[in-house]
Amino acid sequence: MLSNNSSQQQTEFNLVQVNRTWIRQSQHCQQAEGRSSAAKIYESKSDHGLSWTVVSPIVFTYRVIQCKNILDARNDTLLWGHLGDQELKATISNSKPVKRFVVIDETVNQLYGSQVTQYFEARKVVHKILPLPTTEENKCMALVTKILQEVHSFGIDRRSEPIIAIGGGVCLDVVGLAASLYRRRTPYIRVPTTLLSYIDASVGAKTGVNFAGGKNKLGSYVPPVATFLDRSFVQTLPQRQISNGMAEMLKMALMKHRGLFELLEAEGRTLLQSKLQSCESSERSEQEDSATASTRIAIETMLEELAPNLWEDDLDRLVDFGHLISPELEMSVLPALLHGEAVNIDMSLMVYVAQQRGLLTAEEKARIIQCMLGLQLPVWHQDCTLALVQKALSERLKHSAGSLRMPLPTGLGSAEIFHDMSEDILCKAYCKWTDELSSSGNK
Amino acid sequence: MGKTHLGDTNNKEKKTEFSLVKVKGTWKRKVGKNLNKNTMDCVSAAKIYESITEKGTSWTVVSPIVFTYKVSETQGLLDPSNDTLLLGHITDSQQLEDIKKNTKPLKRFVVMDQVVYKIYGSKLTEYFKARNVLYQILPLPTTEEKKSMELAMKILEEVHKFSLDRRTEPIIAIGGGVCLDIVGLAASLYRRRTPYIRVPTTLLSYIDASVGAKTGVNFANCKNKLGTYIPPVAAFLDRSFMQTVPRRHISNGLAEMLKMALMKHRGLFELLEAHGQFLLDSRFQSDNSIECNRLEAASLSTRIAIETMLEELAPNLWEDDLNRLVDFGHLISPELEMKVLPSLLHGEAVNIDMSYMVYVSWESGLLTEEEKLRIIRCMVGLELPVWHQDCTMELVQQSLRNRLKHSGGLVRMPLPIGLGQAEIFNDTSDEILYRAYEKWCDELSTSSDSSGDP
């Protein structure tokens, strides 16, 4: 039988680099002169032999930068925004020609492709632009392989020539995965062009593709070196896509930020109509306009939740709200529902569950649903059957290490995670939800 | 801790450092270092730095992720009375107790090299049956030629059908380096991270592939072009698997051992010099009838090899630093290995590379003639090839050009500067490389260009 680990003698070793060679030193030894590592090795002995435990921290650092006119040739951001001042100085003094590989969503290419090309030509950057149909149905390993083949033929430096992804969530996820795999890690940059990717896909570490009918079953947690947020891309989005992005904004509001909720309640319509563009006068004023405020708060709240849990060590995640049922729903009706729409339907049902459990008042529930409708989001769907809901929840149980981990609002802008759900409450909530909202129909 | 200052530009910049604290399940950013621990569940090691200028707000996220993994020697891994294979990765004693008390059968998915399966498959099956484990064993031809994304996807299809718990049912890989690398990659991708365990069955994988973080597959005819740096939760090292390894493959593993010796450990070098033949003959099995000092050679050499490797890998798990002593023997060998696939094993190619580099060292005045001879003699004693006709000067130059490309513009060439000491060089002249090549060919091309098997 394996001996009880806690009773084993463990020797802790620090690691010090002396003349390019790393050596381990036990605590009792005189520290050698040299660079110290944050990593440690613990050695212990048992009947079977020696055992070593390696503890190695890897620090992920990435920037999320708001900017305007990212495709203006006078703007450095796209090329250098990922570097700090020191690195920038070193790079600029290097006379080597700058090289960049860009993956751009096909649709985005039609709208902005020529501007992207002009940017690189004006800056004399050796570049290759790869337009791809980055849709949910194409979000698979084969697309990743295609990108890798092109990147490999083009040839990029291992560390100093980040791959740039310009597009919506699917594009950013797929390129992120390709970059994570190439040479085991290749720096990449995200430029989100939809509202959804602006506040969601761009600010976390997740990359991925679908697999075996399951959403995002394969991927990595490697963040980009930088994300550049230029809200002007959102102008060319169809209305439906704007609403789509608002769903994720609403999610953060419901989970953590009453102020954001009230803003969406009051200004939702205006934000939709203006496509979250700030008008000239508001730019000059001291006060933040609602488009600026709402996107800023959405990102801040998202970063708060993601930064301490980048690799999902903790499976209790508020940002999972709206994501327990929606993956099943989204995949089963593909491509009828956009991601945010499916998320909203999930959230809508969960709001009924919360009310049924006494966590929300009827008034709060009504306000939330009103807000969703104001954002022109679907609040019900005929394919979101009770059977689908139950299946999704049992999948959740399977994939979340045996506990439901259901985020539910406990007020407007506050939430908690629950580990159980009675069938009875679920059914009652589902029935009320259908009774009250099915007349709003499908989108 | 907020501060306002003028940045390099004319814009006024306000910078703030935020800590992240968890209060009743919700993370909140907080300024300042004096955090009241009574009001929070915990503080994160991550930080957010906010910078506000006229252009807008930017944030820098700094998030440390701690990788922890075990490398454990064990004996009789497939003996049903040995818990290691099933529970050896668990470090929390409470968790261990809970599992032992729980009568629910454990579930495990195993990928096994098909050659290893022929020899040990039934023993593994008996182990799982005796321990009442729900299992699936997937035997695969994990060869260098098949080391591709396709094979990784095949594994993923089977893993997905089998249905594993996200965190508590690690995938087990049993085989040589190729098997461990592919399974590691598949596990890294599944659900973005799935725990996996490595059981190396060759000497090479025992001291090399099993103890680091690298996973990978070949791509576009290049070695290990795609992969991750995700370590297994544990690697279980049982030397008894080596009994069934052909002699050539033991030599193969000895090359990586020699690499560590040449770079960092004179004692290991002397051990290989003195006992190389014995280790080959005995297949690294410890035999109680043999006299004491020889008995030690197998366990001692593997231990030193692992310790030196861990020393070099732990502080540089994700290769932030491209200057790596463990790259010795790996500048030219990837090209060579892929060019003549499958005629050279990985370690054999590595040794040919090292052999040439020893000449470069000597030509550069870093090694004496005697040291050079000792090293080459040791390599020959380990029955490793020290020269190869396909390792032409063009291949050497091509490899070094690729190295330059892939290493951020510097060649970062590790070279021995004594027996068991090394440094990294960026400025070895073409002249030296060429002269060393000539001498290397002159002196060694008469030895066989295949492994030293009789």
Side-chain angles (χ1 to χ4, degrees), chain A residues 67-209:
Chain A
C67 61
K68 296 185 179 133
N69 307 313
I70 197 172
L71 297 181
D72 182 327
R74 292 161 295 175
N75 191 339
D76 282 343
T77 309
L78 189 59
L79 285 180
W80 308 119
H82 61 292
L83 297 176
D85 292 329
Q86 292 284 69
E87 296 162 289
L88 187 59
K89 289 190 179 103
T91 308
I92 284 179
S93 57
N94 185 343
S95 56
K96 212 177 76 164
V98 179
K99 233 181 148 182
R100 290 292 186 268
F101 188 96
V102 181
V103 180
I104 190 170
D105 172 78
E106 235 170 33
T107 311
V108 175
N109 189 43
Q110 275 159 24
L111 295 162
Y112 297 99
S114 53
Q115 281 182 57
V116 175
T117 306
Q118 271 161 39
Y119 179 92
F120 287 122
E121 278 173 1
R123 312 269 321 207
K124 301 214 187 335
V125 172
V126 174
H127 62 281
K128 163 120 180 128
I129 298 173
L130 177 67
L132 288 175
T134 54
T135 62
E136 192 66 42
E137 302 99 297
N138 287 340
K139 192 179 180 184
C140 61
M141 198 51 100
L143 195 59
V144 169
T145 307
K146 171 108 180 77
I147 293 169
L148 287 167
Q149 279 159 2
E150 297 285 334
V151 166
H152 190 66
S153 318
F154 181 66
I156 46 173
D157 178 85
R158 190 168 178 176
R159 293 279 151 97
S160 64
E161 293 170 346
I163 298 171
I164 299 174
I166 304 179
V170 174
C171 181
L172 305 184
D173 282 2
V174 171
V175 176
L177 180 55
S180 313
L181 291 173
Y182 193 60
R183 292 170 175 151
R184 297 189 182 97
R185 78 191 280 209
T186 293
Y188 69 103
I189 282 168
R190 288 179 181 148
V191 180
T193 57
T194 62
L195 180 60
L196 190 89
S197 54
Y198 189 106
I199 55 179
D200 186 11
S202 65
V203 299
K206 286 177 162 178
T207 74
V209 293

Side-chain angles (χ1 to χ4, degrees), chain B residues 267-286:
Chain B
L268 180 58
F269 175 75
E270 288 169 346
L271 213 146
L272 292 173
E273 236 187 349
H275 301 290
Q277 278 293 302
F278 169 70
L279 292 170
L280 275 169
D281 293 335
S282 65
R283 301 283 194 282
F284 278 83
Q285 304 308 301
S286 299

Side-chain angles (χ1 to χ4, degrees), chain A residues 22 48 50-52 54 56 58 60 62 64 158-159 183-185 207 217 219 256 307 311 314 399, chain B residues 22 27 59 61 63 65 67 69 71-74 166 191-193 215 225 264 312 314 318 406:
Chain A
W22 284 98
H48 286 236
L50 288 183
S51 196
W52 301 270
V54 175
S56 184
I58 300 292
F60 289 97
Y62 65 101
V64 178
R158 190 168 178 176
R159 293 279 151 97
R183 292 170 175 151
R184 297 189 182 97
R185 78 191 280 209
T207 74
K217 270 276 165 284
K256 300 181 50 137
W311 282 53
D314 187 355
H399 295 312
Chain B
K22 198 176 196 187
W27 285 99
W59 300 271
V61 175
S63 185
I65 301 291
F67 290 96
Y69 66 101
V71 177
S72 300
E73 289 179 336
T74 187
R166 191 169 178 176
R191 293 170 174 154
R192 298 188 181 95
R193 75 189 283 208
T215 74
K225 264 276 163 285
K264 309 184 43 150
E312 291 296 316
W318 281 54
H406 296 316

Side-chain angles (χ1 to χ4, degrees), chain B residues 372-430:
Chain B
K372 178 197 92 188
L373 285 172
R374 272 181 78 178
I375 295 172
I376 304 297
R377 233 181 277 128
C378 180
M379 292 175 165
V380 172
L382 298 176
E383 298 177 17
L384 284 161
V386 294
W387 187 86
H388 197 281
Q389 68 191 17
D390 282 294
C391 189
T392 59
M393 193 63 212
E394 291 79 61
L395 186 135
V396 170
Q397 284 164 332
Q398 176 65 32
S399 304
L400 294 180
R401 273 197 297 271
N402 283 339
R403 172 73 169 178
L404 217 68
K405 213 167 55 161
H406 296 316
S407 296
L410 289 173
V411 81
R412 305 178 203 271
M413 184 182 285
L415 290 175
I417 57 174
L419 291 174
Q421 274 184 290
E423 256 281 7
I424 297 196
F425 297 85
N426 289 310
D427 49 9
T428 308
S429 73
D430 283 342

Side-chain angles (χ1 to χ4, degrees), chain B residues 312-352:
Chain B
E312 291 296 316
L313 297 180
N316 195 20
L317 213 65
W318 281 54
E319 295 189 302
D320 276 305
D321 188 355
L322 292 176
N323 289 318
R324 303 168 76 238
L325 289 185
V326 300
D327 280 352
F328 184 55
H330 289 73
L331 270 67
I332 313 217
S333 63
E335 283 280 326
L336 178 61
E337 200 185 329
M338 294 309 275
K339 179 176 171 189
V340 303
L341 199 68
S343 62
L344 279 176
L345 296 176
H346 175 66
E348 293 171 344
V350 166
N351 197 70
I352 290 161

